[in-house]
Amino acid sequence: MKAVIEIDGKRLEYPILEGTRGPKVLDIRTFYKDTGMFTYDPGFTSTASCSSDITFINGEQGELRYRGYPIEELAKSHRYSDVCYLLLNSKLPSKEESDEFDNELRHRAFIDEGLRKLFDAFPRTAHPMAMLSSAVSALSAFYFDHLDISEDESFQEMSARIIAKIPTLAAFAYRRGLGIPIIQPDIDRYFTENFLYMMRAYPGGKFHREVGKKAPTTIRDIEVKALDTIFTLHADHEQNASTTTVRTVASTGAHPYAAISAGINALWGRAHGGANESVIAQLEMIGDIKNVDSFIKRAKDPNDSFRLMGFGHRVYKNFDPRAKILKGLQDQLKDELNLDSRLLEIANRIEEIALSDEYFIKRNLYPNIDFYSGVILTALGIPKNLFTAIFVIGRTVGWVTQWMELKKDPKAKIARPRQLYIGK
Ligand code: CMC
């Protein structure tokens, strides 16, 4: 299949590429050479920057798959570490492979003492994302390997190391904010449980003992399952802003952890991963169900920069499938985790109005993943300034998988867009 473009009477033919699924893609790689013209696409709304076999999204139907597996199935029936294995290895692990990978993550979760000391230098008021991105950048100083990408083993080591250490670094950032001593990982705990342990335990690994209760407060299975599902839902999302950042930095040949640190910074913004923190801040600002209407009015006003956080998506023009799963989880956990009923009431009212309002319907603005994650994270005792770090923990596997795909792609080039110059 070909597309014919006529410019100043000159007829040019360009191949149309077909993937396994998704829209066809016009291959314009020779366009500048042929015509001396660039294409113009700010925000890359019509541009495929690479080919990939990791994640598929059908935004019109609200479909998301990792390595061909629907997100609904992965969230329901597989733990997060197995989803990581799937993304990295293109197949779900056997029982033995699953145990082995889980064990590797436990062993690699520890942090070099020198890197731990970095946290002492941050002010307690520092945002956890600032500490996390700096610590991941510093990680490249501690593991300055020159990866041989023909060696799958060195890739596996690099990936497992960063996936395992990110929760530890996020927990360090959290505890630094409180000014309390950090807790090193417990090798006997699974990835997600370990993160909650590193957040909650007292120095020495003990838990708070509630007055009048015999057993010390620990970590409930239902909490681990909820957070594990949240990590799975965030694991990858094809060529979003942070992944594109990781690929762009990787395309220059920089250290993989430097690329991931750049991805963390890209994620921080409120239009992207930072939206989860902003959603709860916004719900708290609205404060009462009676104020919802006036905020909806502001969101619709073209002269007001106010946006309803947790609504809209560049790709999903239907319900975000991750949001659907989280809404179900919210309903399921409402009583068991004692979700904040005031915030839920405000959120439900916003959702109800937005889904029936002409402004939102016309623009296909549906609730996204960030609209629902915050209420659950709050019930897990996670403060809102740590929400985006939770997104980072889940997404790191996606970034390393995409990093490797780029490195193995013989067609990959340094990312170098051009511009429409309008200056003097
Ligand atoms: N509230 C009110 N109006 C909105 C919103 C919103 N949240 N999102 C988009 N619009 C309007 C926008 O004003 C524009 O209207 P008009 O056509 O009249 O100018 C129209 O919808 C299209 O918006 P856009 O900004 O051109 O769309 P985009 O694809 O460039 O942006 C977005 C997508 C996610 C950045 C945007 O919807 C947004 O800012 N949402 C709020 C932040 C948010 O929840 N982000 C999390 C995304 S999901 C997590 C992740 O994967 O990163």
Side-chain angles (χ1 to χ4, degrees):
M1 220 175 165
K2 281 186 166 28
V4 177
I5 297 176
E6 204 177 301
I7 300 169
D8 290 339
K10 192 175 163 196
R11 224 177 103 93
L12 298 154
E13 280 190 358
Y14 292 94
I16 294 176
L17 310 177
E18 274 192 74
T20 39
R21 290 192 64 190
K24 295 186 181 76
V25 172
L26 181 63
D27 181 352
I28 50 151
R29 278 175 292 177
T30 62
F31 190 75
Y32 175 63
K33 210 164 77 192
D34 297 342
T35 64
M37 286 167 79
F38 298 139
T39 57
Y40 182 63
D41 185 20
F44 311 125
T45 53
S46 299
T47 297
S49 62
C50 62
S51 57
S52 177
D53 65 6
I54 302 168
T55 291
F56 174 74
I57 303 175
N58 181 331
E60 277 66 39
Q61 286 175 15
E63 181 186 1
L64 168 64
R65 289 172 183 261
Y66 302 156
R67 300 288 191 192
Y69 288 89
I71 191 68
E72 293 78 8
E73 181 189 326
L74 294 171
K76 187 164 170 236
S77 314
H78 299 275
R79 61 180 182 170
Y80 174 71
S81 62
D82 290 347
V83 173
C84 290
Y85 187 98
L86 168 70
L87 283 163
L88 294 169
N89 300 286
S90 309
K91 69 173 186 88
L92 280 166
S94 64
K95 170 80 178 79
E96 205 185 359
E97 288 163 336
S98 164
D99 289 347
E100 209 174 289
F101 185 60
D102 167 75
N103 200 36
E104 182 173 8
L105 294 183
R106 290 170 195 241
H107 278 87
R108 291 194 185 279
F110 294 84
I111 301 294
D112 185 287
E113 265 304 289
L115 183 51
R116 188 199 60 72
K117 285 188 191 136
L118 177 70
F119 284 82
D120 296 340
F122 290 118
R124 275 182 57 190
T125 48
H127 194 284
M129 288 294 280
M131 293 192 253
L132 196 52
S133 64
S134 309
V136 171
S137 201
L139 208 56
S140 57
F142 288 84
Y143 299 95
F144 194 74
D145 349 89
H146 289 280
L147 286 172
D148 180 356
I149 50 136
S150 59
E151 295 276 347
D152 267 354
E153 236 173 68
S154 80
F155 166 57
Q156 293 297 349
E157 192 180 313
M158 178 282 283
S159 335
R161 188 188 289 134
I162 184 84
I163 293 165
K165 289 189 196 313
I166 286 270
T168 313
L169 295 173
F172 282 11
Y174 166 71
R175 296 182 81 103
R176 176 67 198 140
L178 295 177
I180 55 175
I182 57 96
I183 294 274
Q184 284 286 356
D186 175 355
I187 203 152
D188 288 329
R189 292 176 195 268
Y190 165 66
F191 183 90
T192 304
E193 185 196 342
N194 212 353
F195 173 67
L196 289 172
Y197 162 78
M198 289 185 284
M199 273 191 70
R200 293 178 183 178
Y202 273 74
K206 295 218 180 321
F207 280 92
H208 162 70
R209 185 183 274 272
E210 281 179 38
V211 178
K213 289 222 172 128
K214 277 193 184 146
T217 309
T218 52
I219 298 156
R220 294 161 65 198
D221 288 349
I222 187 170
E223 296 180 302
V224 175
K225 173 67 191 137
L227 190 56
D228 210 62
T229 304
I230 289 178
F231 288 154
T232 291
L233 297 178
H234 287 93
D236 193 49
H237 214 229
E238 54 119 302
Q239 309 313 318
N240 54 80
S242 56
T243 302
T244 298
T245 302
V246 169
R247 279 185 177 259
T248 300
V249 178
S251 79
T252 70
H255 192 287
Y257 300 157
I260 288 169
S261 172
I264 293 173
N265 284 315
L267 188 79
W268 192 359
R270 66 204 290 263
H272 192 9
N276 55 11
E277 181 179 342
S278 303
V279 166
I280 292 292
Q282 201 168 80
L283 293 179
E284 287 169 352
M285 182 173 76
I286 295 172
D288 192 290
I289 195 167
K290 70 175 189 313
N291 302 327
V292 169
D293 284 345
S294 64
F295 280 93
I296 296 270
K297 202 168 150 207
R298 282 189 64 190
K300 290 166 27 174
D301 181 352
N303 300 315
D304 190 331
S305 62
F306 178 85
R307 280 195 170 194
L308 215 46
M309 298 314 291
F311 269 78
H313 198 275
R314 170 64 62 77
V315 183
Y316 294 120
K317 300 303 167 201
N318 197 322
F319 230 96
D320 176 342
R322 306 166 300 174
K324 247 190 206 166
I325 296 169
L326 278 188
K327 187 173 164 53
L329 196 64
Q330 244 187 22
D331 294 342
Q332 198 186 318
L333 300 175
K334 206 164 139 223
D335 299 325
E336 278 197 83
L337 283 187
N338 205 7
L339 302 188
D340 186 323
S341 54
R342 188 181 56 101
L343 290 186
L344 272 181
E345 196 188 21
I346 300 169
N348 289 341
R349 182 71 189 132
I350 293 175
E351 185 193 315
E352 192 186 350
I353 298 180
L355 291 179
S356 57
D357 188 292
E358 174 69 14
Y359 174 93
F360 293 88
I361 294 171
K362 216 173 113 196
R363 290 167 180 78
N364 295 312
L365 298 171
Y366 289 86
N368 58 49
I369 186 169
D370 295 320
F371 190 68
Y372 299 105
S373 58
V375 177
I376 301 174
L377 294 175
T378 303
L380 294 175
I382 296 169
K384 62 175 182 294
N385 72 350
L386 203 68
F387 287 2
T388 315
I390 298 291
F391 198 147
V392 170
I393 298 175
R395 182 57 57 83
T396 298
V397 64
W399 289 328
V400 285
T401 310
Q402 301 267 353
W403 181 92
M404 193 58 198
E405 189 176 68
L406 175 111
K407 286 289 163 187
K408 287 186 168 176
D409 182 355
K411 296 190 296 296
K413 288 169 101 68
I414 185 169
R416 189 17 174 133
R418 302 303 303 270
Q419 62 178 7
L420 172 67
Y421 179 67
I422 53 168
K424 282 184 185 161

